[in-house]
Amino acid sequence: MTMNAPPPPPFPPMAAPPAVPEGWKAEWSAEHKTWYFFNHSTQKTQWELPLSRPPPASPPPYTRPFTHNPHHIEADFPSTHADEKRSQPSPPFPGMTYKNTIGETFTRQASPYSSISTPTLIIHSAAYADKDVTEIVRRLVKGNQTLTLQTDSLNSIFGDPWPSHRKQFSIIYSFSSRPLELAAVLEGSGLLTLLPSYILDMNRANFIQSGSEGGRVVAVVWGTGNGLLGVNGMNGKGAGIKGKELEVEGRCEATNGWMGFDGHYGVEKMAVVYYRDMEGRIGVKGAKEGETLRLPWNPLAGLV
């Protein structure tokens, strides 16, 4: 993944839609810039790609009375019938107002769990301030492949690695073979919930570097922001320079000046770098604001 990926297209891409079983049709959501799937027999829609099995039998016909639904969305694309617009599934992100990569805002709603299969929640790495809490978080994943953390209680879960400071929690995760995502929140920010029914969150996915050309750095978090973004109104380093310095020198400064932006105004921040070790696993290092963060390949790592 590039650091400055172009926004998703507002209209269906030129590539063919995903292949679906008989009885299903792939439709493009101009609202969410992704495909969803319509079952001709049930007249229902869903975000999950259906597997190759016969669609369920058609229910008896009925007329549903009109009710106002503030989350009902009409697809913005030409239909096979002049007077038809397909009703899309509920927006797939729950809990709060969400702004996508091209600046559109909508309210997150959870989509139904897939009745076909449940993806496995994989915790690749996690940090609370500069403490590696990966193994603790893995033990918190429930049997239905969900994770819920009350961020008001993180000290009781992980201990307090930085007393008298409002600390950052960050986590790299994926569901089965889906792309990696990174979520970063501050202590006391309410519930953090990961559910297999959520589709890919591009803001979280954009933290993750592609790892092309032997790159070892996976992601950089400054406060709760993406540390490898370009400079935003400050005399800091550009995204390419920051990435190269981390890859070659294995170091960065935990400052607004080095990062090029304030990762969370009014809070003493933590710089956290996720990297791949020699076995390909994702490790994590952190440094408090004002310190120098040194990765394992830096010559002075562990010495100063």
Side-chain angles (χ1 to χ4, degrees), residues 150-192:
Q150 174 52 260
T151 62
D152 295 334
S153 305
L154 295 180
N155 285 342
S156 63
I157 301 172
F158 304 125
D160 190 348
W162 199 13
S164 303
H165 289 81
R166 190 180 180 193
K167 292 164 284 295
Q168 164 223 80
F169 172 76
S170 58
I171 179 173
I172 294 181
Y173 66 95
S174 64
F175 284 100
S176 295
S177 60
R178 298 179 192 174
L180 300 184
E181 300 179 60
L182 187 150
V185 297
L186 281 182
E187 178 185 10
S189 299
L191 284 177
L192 172 65

mmCIF file of all heavy atoms in Angstrom, residues 150-192:
data_model
loop_
_atom_site.group_PDB
_atom_site.id
_atom_site.type_symbol
_atom_site.label_atom_id
_atom_site.label_comp_id
_atom_site.label_asym_id
_atom_site.label_seq_id
_atom_site.Cartn_x
_atom_site.Cartn_y
_atom_site.Cartn_z
ATOM 1 N N GLN A 150 -13.001 -1.777 26.858
ATOM 2 C CA GLN A 150 -13.460 -0.542 27.471
ATOM 3 C C GLN A 150 -12.217 0.294 27.749
ATOM 4 O O GLN A 150 -11.417 -0.019 28.640
ATOM 5 C CB GLN A 150 -14.221 -0.833 28.747
ATOM 6 C CG GLN A 150 -14.627 0.399 29.540
ATOM 7 C CD GLN A 150 -15.356 1.436 28.710
ATOM 8 O OE1 GLN A 150 -14.756 2.432 28.280
ATOM 9 N NE2 GLN A 150 -16.638 1.215 28.459
ATOM 10 N N THR A 151 -12.006 1.356 26.974
ATOM 11 C CA THR A 151 -10.760 2.112 27.081
ATOM 12 C C THR A 151 -10.652 2.903 28.385
ATOM 13 O O THR A 151 -9.581 3.407 28.700
ATOM 14 C CB THR A 151 -10.591 3.063 25.882
ATOM 15 O OG1 THR A 151 -11.658 4.021 25.877
ATOM 16 C CG2 THR A 151 -10.589 2.275 24.577
ATOM 17 N N ASP A 152 -11.754 3.014 29.147
ATOM 18 C CA ASP A 152 -11.676 3.633 30.466
ATOM 19 C C ASP A 152 -10.996 2.710 31.482
ATOM 20 O O ASP A 152 -10.633 3.154 32.571
ATOM 21 C CB ASP A 152 -13.076 3.980 30.973
ATOM 22 C CG ASP A 152 -13.751 5.033 30.118
ATOM 23 O OD1 ASP A 152 -13.035 5.821 29.481
ATOM 24 O OD2 ASP A 152 -14.993 5.067 30.076
ATOM 25 N N SER A 153 -10.835 1.423 31.126
ATOM 26 C CA SER A 153 -10.309 0.428 32.074
ATOM 27 C C SER A 153 -9.013 -0.211 31.589
ATOM 28 O O SER A 153 -8.675 -1.320 32.013
ATOM 29 C CB SER A 153 -11.370 -0.664 32.301
ATOM 30 O OG SER A 153 -12.598 -0.119 32.717
ATOM 31 N N LEU A 154 -8.283 0.445 30.701
ATOM 32 C CA LEU A 154 -7.090 -0.169 30.134
ATOM 33 C C LEU A 154 -6.009 -0.416 31.175
ATOM 34 O O LEU A 154 -5.256 -1.396 31.084
ATOM 35 C CB LEU A 154 -6.546 0.691 28.992
ATOM 36 C CG LEU A 154 -7.457 0.807 27.754
ATOM 37 C CD1 LEU A 154 -6.806 1.692 26.695
ATOM 38 C CD2 LEU A 154 -7.765 -0.568 27.169
ATOM 39 N N ASN A 155 -5.890 0.462 32.191
ATOM 40 C CA ASN A 155 -4.884 0.238 33.229
ATOM 41 C C ASN A 155 -5.141 -1.056 33.986
ATOM 42 O O ASN A 155 -4.202 -1.777 34.354
ATOM 43 C CB ASN A 155 -4.849 1.407 34.212
ATOM 44 C CG ASN A 155 -4.169 2.637 33.641
ATOM 45 O OD1 ASN A 155 -3.441 2.548 32.652
ATOM 46 N ND2 ASN A 155 -4.408 3.784 34.249
ATOM 47 N N SER A 156 -6.400 -1.375 34.227
ATOM 48 C CA SER A 156 -6.713 -2.607 34.955
ATOM 49 C C SER A 156 -6.455 -3.841 34.101
ATOM 50 O O SER A 156 -6.240 -4.932 34.632
ATOM 51 C CB SER A 156 -8.176 -2.587 35.424
ATOM 52 O OG SER A 156 -9.060 -2.560 34.310
ATOM 53 N N ILE A 157 -6.466 -3.688 32.782
ATOM 54 C CA ILE A 157 -6.223 -4.819 31.880
ATOM 55 C C ILE A 157 -4.731 -5.014 31.639
ATOM 56 O O ILE A 157 -4.213 -6.137 31.697
ATOM 57 C CB ILE A 157 -6.945 -4.599 30.536
ATOM 58 C CG1 ILE A 157 -8.449 -4.455 30.744
ATOM 59 C CG2 ILE A 157 -6.658 -5.759 29.567
ATOM 60 C CD1 ILE A 157 -9.206 -4.037 29.494
ATOM 61 N N PHE A 158 -4.009 -3.915 31.391
ATOM 62 C CA PHE A 158 -2.612 -4.000 30.958
ATOM 63 C C PHE A 158 -1.605 -3.521 31.996
ATOM 64 O O PHE A 158 -0.393 -3.660 31.770
ATOM 65 C CB PHE A 158 -2.418 -3.168 29.680
ATOM 66 C CG PHE A 158 -3.319 -3.548 28.542
ATOM 67 C CD1 PHE A 158 -4.131 -2.599 27.932
ATOM 68 C CD2 PHE A 158 -3.376 -4.849 28.079
ATOM 69 C CE1 PHE A 158 -4.973 -2.940 26.875
ATOM 70 C CE2 PHE A 158 -4.207 -5.202 27.026
ATOM 71 C CZ PHE A 158 -5.005 -4.253 26.423
ATOM 72 N N GLY A 159 -2.062 -2.972 33.133
ATOM 73 C CA GLY A 159 -1.149 -2.267 34.013
ATOM 74 C C GLY A 159 -0.964 -0.839 33.523
ATOM 75 O O GLY A 159 -1.493 -0.449 32.481
ATOM 76 N N ASP A 160 -0.208 -0.052 34.285
ATOM 77 C CA ASP A 160 -0.018 1.358 33.945
ATOM 78 C C ASP A 160 1.443 1.617 33.584
ATOM 79 O O ASP A 160 2.286 1.843 34.463
ATOM 80 C CB ASP A 160 -0.430 2.245 35.121
ATOM 81 C CG ASP A 160 -0.495 3.717 34.739
ATOM 82 O OD1 ASP A 160 -0.004 4.066 33.642
ATOM 83 O OD2 ASP A 160 -1.038 4.514 35.529
ATOM 84 N N PRO A 161 1.786 1.593 32.275
ATOM 85 C CA PRO A 161 3.183 1.774 31.877
ATOM 86 C C PRO A 161 3.664 3.223 31.907
ATOM 87 O O PRO A 161 4.866 3.469 31.765
ATOM 88 C CB PRO A 161 3.199 1.230 30.442
ATOM 89 C CG PRO A 161 1.810 1.462 29.942
ATOM 90 C CD PRO A 161 0.908 1.299 31.120
ATOM 91 N N TRP A 162 2.740 4.183 32.068
ATOM 92 C CA TRP A 162 3.134 5.601 32.045
ATOM 93 C C TRP A 162 2.205 6.365 32.995
ATOM 94 O O TRP A 162 1.275 7.028 32.566
ATOM 95 C CB TRP A 162 3.030 6.133 30.621
ATOM 96 C CG TRP A 162 3.795 7.401 30.355
ATOM 97 C CD1 TRP A 162 4.738 7.977 31.160
ATOM 98 C CD2 TRP A 162 3.678 8.242 29.201
ATOM 99 N NE1 TRP A 162 5.226 9.117 30.585
ATOM 100 C CE2 TRP A 162 4.591 9.297 29.369
ATOM 101 C CE3 TRP A 162 2.918 8.192 28.045
ATOM 102 C CZ2 TRP A 162 4.747 10.306 28.437
ATOM 103 C CZ3 TRP A 162 3.075 9.192 27.116
ATOM 104 C CH2 TRP A 162 3.972 10.244 27.294
ATOM 105 N N PRO A 163 2.451 6.273 34.309
ATOM 106 C CA PRO A 163 1.534 6.876 35.294
ATOM 107 C C PRO A 163 1.340 8.367 35.076
ATOM 108 O O PRO A 163 2.241 9.075 34.600
ATOM 109 C CB PRO A 163 2.227 6.578 36.631
ATOM 110 C CG PRO A 163 3.086 5.377 36.360
ATOM 111 C CD PRO A 163 3.560 5.545 34.946
ATOM 112 N N SER A 164 0.147 8.807 35.400
ATOM 113 C CA SER A 164 -0.238 10.226 35.337
ATOM 114 C C SER A 164 -0.275 10.767 33.918
ATOM 115 O O SER A 164 -0.211 11.983 33.712
ATOM 116 C CB SER A 164 0.710 11.090 36.198
ATOM 117 O OG SER A 164 0.731 10.634 37.534
ATOM 118 N N HIS A 165 -0.366 9.892 32.921
ATOM 119 C CA HIS A 165 -0.503 10.311 31.532
ATOM 120 C C HIS A 165 -1.701 9.592 30.906
ATOM 121 O O HIS A 165 -1.997 8.446 31.245
ATOM 122 C CB HIS A 165 0.754 9.986 30.721
ATOM 123 C CG HIS A 165 1.930 10.833 31.074
ATOM 124 N ND1 HIS A 165 2.726 10.582 32.164
ATOM 125 C CD2 HIS A 165 2.446 11.940 30.470
ATOM 126 C CE1 HIS A 165 3.683 11.489 32.230
ATOM 127 N NE2 HIS A 165 3.532 12.322 31.212
ATOM 128 N N ARG A 166 -2.344 10.295 29.987
ATOM 129 C CA ARG A 166 -3.414 9.667 29.211
ATOM 130 C C ARG A 166 -2.763 8.921 28.043
ATOM 131 O O ARG A 166 -2.199 9.519 27.146
ATOM 132 C CB ARG A 166 -4.390 10.728 28.683
ATOM 133 C CG ARG A 166 -5.643 10.121 28.071
ATOM 134 C CD ARG A 166 -6.579 11.198 27.562
ATOM 135 N NE ARG A 166 -7.771 10.608 26.972
ATOM 136 C CZ ARG A 166 -8.635 11.293 26.235
ATOM 137 N NH1 ARG A 166 -8.430 12.584 25.999
ATOM 138 N NH2 ARG A 166 -9.704 10.691 25.735
ATOM 139 N N LYS A 167 -2.848 7.634 28.082
ATOM 140 C CA LYS A 167 -2.024 6.794 27.199
ATOM 141 C C LYS A 167 -2.762 6.391 25.921
ATOM 142 O O LYS A 167 -3.974 6.398 25.865
ATOM 143 C CB LYS A 167 -1.579 5.544 27.970
ATOM 144 C CG LYS A 167 -0.588 5.869 29.088
ATOM 145 C CD LYS A 167 -0.443 4.747 30.071
ATOM 146 C CE LYS A 167 -1.617 4.646 31.013
ATOM 147 N NZ LYS A 167 -1.782 5.800 31.905
ATOM 148 N N GLN A 168 -1.951 6.022 24.943
ATOM 149 C CA GLN A 168 -2.445 5.566 23.645
ATOM 150 C C GLN A 168 -2.484 4.040 23.611
ATOM 151 O O GLN A 168 -1.573 3.385 24.103
ATOM 152 C CB GLN A 168 -1.520 6.097 22.555
ATOM 153 C CG GLN A 168 -1.634 5.435 21.193
ATOM 154 C CD GLN A 168 -0.251 5.185 20.605
ATOM 155 O OE1 GLN A 168 0.431 4.227 20.944
ATOM 156 N NE2 GLN A 168 0.180 6.092 19.738
ATOM 157 N N PHE A 169 -3.554 3.503 23.021
ATOM 158 C CA PHE A 169 -3.615 2.064 22.727
ATOM 159 C C PHE A 169 -3.723 1.916 21.212
ATOM 160 O O PHE A 169 -4.528 2.591 20.557
ATOM 161 C CB PHE A 169 -4.831 1.415 23.389
ATOM 162 C CG PHE A 169 -5.045 -0.017 22.962
ATOM 163 C CD1 PHE A 169 -4.251 -1.037 23.467
ATOM 164 C CD2 PHE A 169 -6.031 -0.346 22.038
ATOM 165 C CE1 PHE A 169 -4.432 -2.354 23.068
ATOM 166 C CE2 PHE A 169 -6.222 -1.656 21.630
ATOM 167 C CZ PHE A 169 -5.420 -2.664 22.151
ATOM 168 N N SER A 170 -2.899 1.041 20.655
ATOM 169 C CA SER A 170 -2.979 0.774 19.213
ATOM 170 C C SER A 170 -2.886 -0.721 18.977
ATOM 171 O O SER A 170 -2.285 -1.457 19.769
ATOM 172 C CB SER A 170 -1.885 1.527 18.436
ATOM 173 O OG SER A 170 -0.595 1.176 18.910
ATOM 174 N N ILE A 171 -3.487 -1.164 17.862
ATOM 175 C CA ILE A 171 -3.564 -2.593 17.578
ATOM 176 C C ILE A 171 -3.568 -2.814 16.071
ATOM 177 O O ILE A 171 -4.242 -2.093 15.328
ATOM 178 C CB ILE A 171 -4.839 -3.205 18.226
ATOM 179 C CG1 ILE A 171 -4.949 -4.702 17.928
ATOM 180 C CG2 ILE A 171 -6.096 -2.468 17.792
ATOM 181 C CD1 ILE A 171 -6.095 -5.378 18.688
ATOM 182 N N ILE A 172 -2.770 -3.783 15.608
ATOM 183 C CA ILE A 172 -2.809 -4.227 14.215
ATOM 184 C C ILE A 172 -3.520 -5.569 14.180
ATOM 185 O O ILE A 172 -3.132 -6.501 14.899
ATOM 186 C CB ILE A 172 -1.398 -4.342 13.610
ATOM 187 C CG1 ILE A 172 -0.759 -2.954 13.510
ATOM 188 C CG2 ILE A 172 -1.452 -4.987 12.230
ATOM 189 C CD1 ILE A 172 0.632 -2.960 12.900
ATOM 190 N N TYR A 173 -4.547 -5.660 13.342
ATOM 191 C CA TYR A 173 -5.370 -6.868 13.292
ATOM 192 C C TYR A 173 -5.817 -7.124 11.857
ATOM 193 O O TYR A 173 -5.695 -6.272 10.972
ATOM 194 C CB TYR A 173 -6.604 -6.710 14.193
ATOM 195 C CG TYR A 173 -7.577 -5.647 13.713
ATOM 196 C CD1 TYR A 173 -8.673 -5.976 12.922
ATOM 197 C CD2 TYR A 173 -7.382 -4.307 14.030
ATOM 198 C CE1 TYR A 173 -9.548 -5.003 12.466
ATOM 199 C CE2 TYR A 173 -8.246 -3.321 13.580
ATOM 200 C CZ TYR A 173 -9.326 -3.680 12.793
ATOM 201 O OH TYR A 173 -10.189 -2.714 12.332
ATOM 202 N N SER A 174 -6.349 -8.307 11.647
ATOM 203 C CA SER A 174 -6.999 -8.635 10.374
ATOM 204 C C SER A 174 -8.029 -9.710 10.649
ATOM 205 O O SER A 174 -7.985 -10.394 11.677
ATOM 206 C CB SER A 174 -5.986 -9.117 9.324
ATOM 207 O OG SER A 174 -5.378 -10.331 9.728
ATOM 208 N N PHE A 175 -8.973 -9.846 9.734
ATOM 209 C CA PHE A 175 -9.948 -10.936 9.787
ATOM 210 C C PHE A 175 -9.601 -11.918 8.669
ATOM 211 O O PHE A 175 -9.727 -11.599 7.490
ATOM 212 C CB PHE A 175 -11.375 -10.408 9.627
ATOM 213 C CG PHE A 175 -11.903 -9.747 10.871
ATOM 214 C CD1 PHE A 175 -11.911 -8.371 10.993
ATOM 215 C CD2 PHE A 175 -12.377 -10.508 11.926
ATOM 216 C CE1 PHE A 175 -12.390 -7.759 12.138
ATOM 217 C CE2 PHE A 175 -12.856 -9.903 13.086
ATOM 218 C CZ PHE A 175 -12.861 -8.534 13.188
ATOM 219 N N SER A 176 -9.118 -13.108 9.065
ATOM 220 C CA SER A 176 -8.681 -14.137 8.121
ATOM 221 C C SER A 176 -7.696 -13.534 7.126
ATOM 222 O O SER A 176 -6.694 -12.953 7.535
ATOM 223 C CB SER A 176 -9.885 -14.780 7.440
ATOM 224 O OG SER A 176 -10.666 -15.486 8.395
ATOM 225 N N SER A 177 -7.985 -13.637 5.835
ATOM 226 C CA SER A 177 -7.032 -13.176 4.825
ATOM 227 C C SER A 177 -7.267 -11.735 4.380
ATOM 228 O O SER A 177 -6.663 -11.278 3.414
ATOM 229 C CB SER A 177 -7.104 -14.094 3.597
ATOM 230 O OG SER A 177 -8.412 -14.081 3.043
ATOM 231 N N ARG A 178 -8.133 -11.002 5.074
ATOM 232 C CA ARG A 178 -8.346 -9.601 4.708
ATOM 233 C C ARG A 178 -7.085 -8.778 4.976
ATOM 234 O O ARG A 178 -6.218 -9.171 5.750
ATOM 235 C CB ARG A 178 -9.512 -9.024 5.513
ATOM 236 C CG ARG A 178 -10.846 -9.703 5.280
ATOM 237 C CD ARG A 178 -11.908 -9.056 6.145
ATOM 238 N NE ARG A 178 -13.140 -9.836 6.168
ATOM 239 C CZ ARG A 178 -14.189 -9.556 6.939
ATOM 240 N NH1 ARG A 178 -14.143 -8.513 7.737
ATOM 241 N NH2 ARG A 178 -15.267 -10.319 6.908
ATOM 242 N N PRO A 179 -6.963 -7.583 4.377
ATOM 243 C CA PRO A 179 -5.790 -6.739 4.626
ATOM 244 C C PRO A 179 -5.671 -6.348 6.092
ATOM 245 O O PRO A 179 -6.650 -6.326 6.846
ATOM 246 C CB PRO A 179 -6.050 -5.505 3.746
ATOM 247 C CG PRO A 179 -6.998 -5.979 2.694
ATOM 248 C CD PRO A 179 -7.855 -7.013 3.350
ATOM 249 N N LEU A 180 -4.443 -6.038 6.510
ATOM 250 C CA LEU A 180 -4.198 -5.559 7.868
ATOM 251 C C LEU A 180 -4.841 -4.193 8.064
ATOM 252 O O LEU A 180 -4.911 -3.380 7.151
ATOM 253 C CB LEU A 180 -2.696 -5.450 8.136
ATOM 254 C CG LEU A 180 -1.836 -6.708 8.025
ATOM 255 C CD1 LEU A 180 -0.404 -6.380 8.417
ATOM 256 C CD2 LEU A 180 -2.379 -7.841 8.857
ATOM 257 N N GLU A 181 -5.280 -3.950 9.307
ATOM 258 C CA GLU A 181 -5.795 -2.647 9.711
ATOM 259 C C GLU A 181 -5.154 -2.265 11.037
ATOM 260 O O GLU A 181 -4.765 -3.127 11.826
ATOM 261 C CB GLU A 181 -7.321 -2.670 9.850
ATOM 262 C CG GLU A 181 -8.053 -3.040 8.575
ATOM 263 C CD GLU A 181 -9.563 -3.078 8.765
ATOM 264 O OE1 GLU A 181 -10.146 -2.042 9.124
ATOM 265 O OE2 GLU A 181 -10.155 -4.156 8.576
ATOM 266 N N LEU A 182 -5.057 -0.966 11.286
ATOM 267 C CA LEU A 182 -4.524 -0.473 12.560
ATOM 268 C C LEU A 182 -5.523 0.491 13.169
ATOM 269 O O LEU A 182 -5.921 1.465 12.529
ATOM 270 C CB LEU A 182 -3.176 0.217 12.369
ATOM 271 C CG LEU A 182 -2.449 0.636 13.648
ATOM 272 C CD1 LEU A 182 -0.936 0.607 13.451
ATOM 273 C CD2 LEU A 182 -2.868 2.037 14.138
ATOM 274 N N ALA A 183 -5.919 0.221 14.417
ATOM 275 C CA ALA A 183 -6.784 1.122 15.169
ATOM 276 C C ALA A 183 -5.968 1.740 16.291
ATOM 277 O O ALA A 183 -5.214 1.042 16.978
ATOM 278 C CB ALA A 183 -7.981 0.365 15.741
ATOM 279 N N ALA A 184 -6.099 3.061 16.476
ATOM 280 C CA ALA A 184 -5.383 3.774 17.535
ATOM 281 C C ALA A 184 -6.356 4.689 18.264
ATOM 282 O O ALA A 184 -7.058 5.480 17.621
ATOM 283 C CB ALA A 184 -4.222 4.587 16.954
ATOM 284 N N VAL A 185 -6.410 4.562 19.597
ATOM 285 C CA VAL A 185 -7.326 5.367 20.412
ATOM 286 C C VAL A 185 -6.592 5.818 21.667
ATOM 287 O O VAL A 185 -5.573 5.238 22.056
ATOM 288 C CB VAL A 185 -8.594 4.578 20.801
ATOM 289 C CG1 VAL A 185 -9.392 4.199 19.575
ATOM 290 C CG2 VAL A 185 -8.232 3.337 21.617
ATOM 291 N N LEU A 186 -7.132 6.838 22.313
ATOM 292 C CA LEU A 186 -6.608 7.277 23.596
ATOM 293 C C LEU A 186 -7.382 6.618 24.728
ATOM 294 O O LEU A 186 -8.569 6.304 24.599
ATOM 295 C CB LEU A 186 -6.707 8.791 23.731
ATOM 296 C CG LEU A 186 -5.654 9.641 23.015
ATOM 297 C CD1 LEU A 186 -5.909 11.111 23.315
ATOM 298 C CD2 LEU A 186 -4.247 9.266 23.441
ATOM 299 N N GLU A 187 -6.702 6.430 25.838
ATOM 300 C CA GLU A 187 -7.337 5.957 27.063
ATOM 301 C C GLU A 187 -8.533 6.858 27.386
ATOM 302 O O GLU A 187 -8.466 8.076 27.255
ATOM 303 C CB GLU A 187 -6.305 6.008 28.183
ATOM 304 C CG GLU A 187 -6.805 5.588 29.546
ATOM 305 C CD GLU A 187 -5.741 5.781 30.609
ATOM 306 O OE1 GLU A 187 -4.694 6.405 30.320
ATOM 307 O OE2 GLU A 187 -5.961 5.308 31.737
ATOM 308 N N GLY A 188 -9.647 6.241 27.770
ATOM 309 C CA GLY A 188 -10.837 7.010 28.118
ATOM 310 C C GLY A 188 -11.674 7.438 26.940
ATOM 311 O O GLY A 188 -12.434 8.408 27.037
ATOM 312 N N SER A 189 -11.570 6.712 25.801
ATOM 313 C CA SER A 189 -12.316 7.076 24.586
ATOM 314 C C SER A 189 -13.566 6.226 24.369
ATOM 315 O O SER A 189 -14.124 6.233 23.278
ATOM 316 C CB SER A 189 -11.400 6.951 23.356
ATOM 317 O OG SER A 189 -10.294 7.820 23.456
ATOM 318 N N GLY A 190 -13.992 5.487 25.386
ATOM 319 C CA GLY A 190 -15.179 4.645 25.229
ATOM 320 C C GLY A 190 -14.823 3.253 24.744
ATOM 321 O O GLY A 190 -13.696 2.784 24.907
ATOM 322 N N LEU A 191 -15.787 2.590 24.127
ATOM 323 C CA LEU A 191 -15.593 1.213 23.680
ATOM 324 C C LEU A 191 -14.836 1.156 22.358
ATOM 325 O O LEU A 191 -15.099 1.929 21.441
ATOM 326 C CB LEU A 191 -16.933 0.504 23.511
ATOM 327 C CG LEU A 191 -17.670 0.053 24.774
ATOM 328 C CD1 LEU A 191 -19.008 -0.567 24.400
ATOM 329 C CD2 LEU A 191 -16.832 -0.956 25.560
ATOM 330 N N LEU A 192 -13.909 0.210 22.269
ATOM 331 C CA LEU A 192 -13.283 -0.161 21.002
ATOM 332 C C LEU A 192 -13.745 -1.581 20.700
ATOM 333 O O LEU A 192 -13.481 -2.505 21.472
ATOM 334 C CB LEU A 192 -11.764 -0.114 21.102
ATOM 335 C CG LEU A 192 -11.003 -0.659 19.888
ATOM 336 C CD1 LEU A 192 -11.266 0.209 18.657
ATOM 337 C CD2 LEU A 192 -9.512 -0.744 20.166
#
